[in-house]
Amino acid sequence: LFKNLCGLLELNLIGSGTVSSISFRGYDNYGNPMPVAGVAKVIYDYSDNPSMEMLSDNINTVSLNCCNPVTLSDTNPTPFHLILPPGVYHNFEVKIHLTDGRTMVKVGTTPITIKRSERTKASPLKFTETPQEILDLNINGETANSYIISEPGTYKFKAVKGNSSILLSTIASVDV
């Protein structure tokens, strides 16, 4: 009874390129990341099959790293399988990384239900490179004299003197 506590998500990819890794992050109906890996609690009351509950302090992303990279076909979908805890993922994000450095980010807004001991097939996805997103650090119009960045990426912010609203107009770009 304790086998197959999780479900299987089958992603079918088409396109040109060679996949090195795929990552999945799911969100609940409030937009909060759902735990998909780590410590879980198995619930068994002897009246039914056991169920699994992920604990809130777990990992929110699961990744599939291809030991031997997989070459996609433009015509025949290539299946990739991710093991996920059962639940309804109201929104999700799938990142596909190719060996040549290209990346695709697919955001799903249609809920996916993963059931215990079942395979859920997603619609075929065509690999298309995602343009690099530029994140605005002044999203609320506020400025700061420093910013803490937790993820790699491209960011923009107003160049101001100290923590004021006096713009510095002669700066074209900054590389770190």
Side-chain angles (χ1 to χ4, degrees):
L1 290 176
F2 283 98
K3 67 180 183 177
N4 302 325
L5 289 170
C6 291
L8 192 69
L9 174 62
E10 181 178 307
L11 297 173
N12 292 288
L13 302 179
I14 56 174
S16 60
T18 303
V19 176
S20 61
S21 68
I22 298 173
S23 63
F24 175 91
R25 178 181 283 242
Y27 299 89
D28 65 16
N29 57 339
Y30 298 108
N32 301 313
M34 295 174 62
V36 292
V39 180
K41 176 170 63 170
V42 176
I43 303 162
Y44 187 62
D45 63 6
Y46 297 101
S47 65
D48 199 4
N49 286 328
S51 62
M52 185 174 72
E53 178 184 323
M54 297 302 296
L55 301 178
S56 62
D57 59 342
N58 279 305
I59 301 164
N60 297 324
T61 302
V62 65
S63 296
L64 170 66
N65 294 315
C66 303
C67 294
N68 297 314
V70 178
T71 301
L72 299 177
S73 164
D74 283 320
T75 54
N76 298 324
T78 303
F80 293 86
H81 299 97
L82 299 168
I83 297 171
L84 296 170
V88 178
Y89 298 87
H90 289 271
N91 297 306
F92 61 91
E93 177 183 273
V94 176
K95 289 184 183 178
I96 299 146
H97 302 280
L98 299 186
T99 56
D100 63 7
R102 292 184 293 152
T103 300
M104 178 179 88
V105 179
K106 172 67 176 169
V107 177
T109 56
T110 302
I112 288 181
T113 301
I114 302 296
K115 295 182 180 177
R116 177 181 187 251
S117 296
E118 289 187 17
R119 179 177 61 173
T120 302
K121 290 178 90 173
S123 300
L125 294 174
K126 179 165 179 60
F127 182 89
T128 54
E129 188 171 1
T130 303
Q132 188 169 1
E133 180 180 9
I134 299 175
L135 302 169
D136 189 353
L137 297 174
N138 300 115
I139 195 131
N140 297 326
E142 298 174 6
T143 61
N145 61 8
S146 62
Y147 297 93
I148 297 174
I149 306 300
S150 60
E151 294 186 21
T154 301
Y155 297 88
K156 70 177 183 178
F157 58 91
K158 291 180 182 176
V160 296
K161 185 176 183 178
N163 199 22
S164 71
S165 59
I166 301 169
L167 291 176
L168 301 174
S169 60
T170 58
I171 299 173
S173 70
V174 175
D175 291 321
V176 178

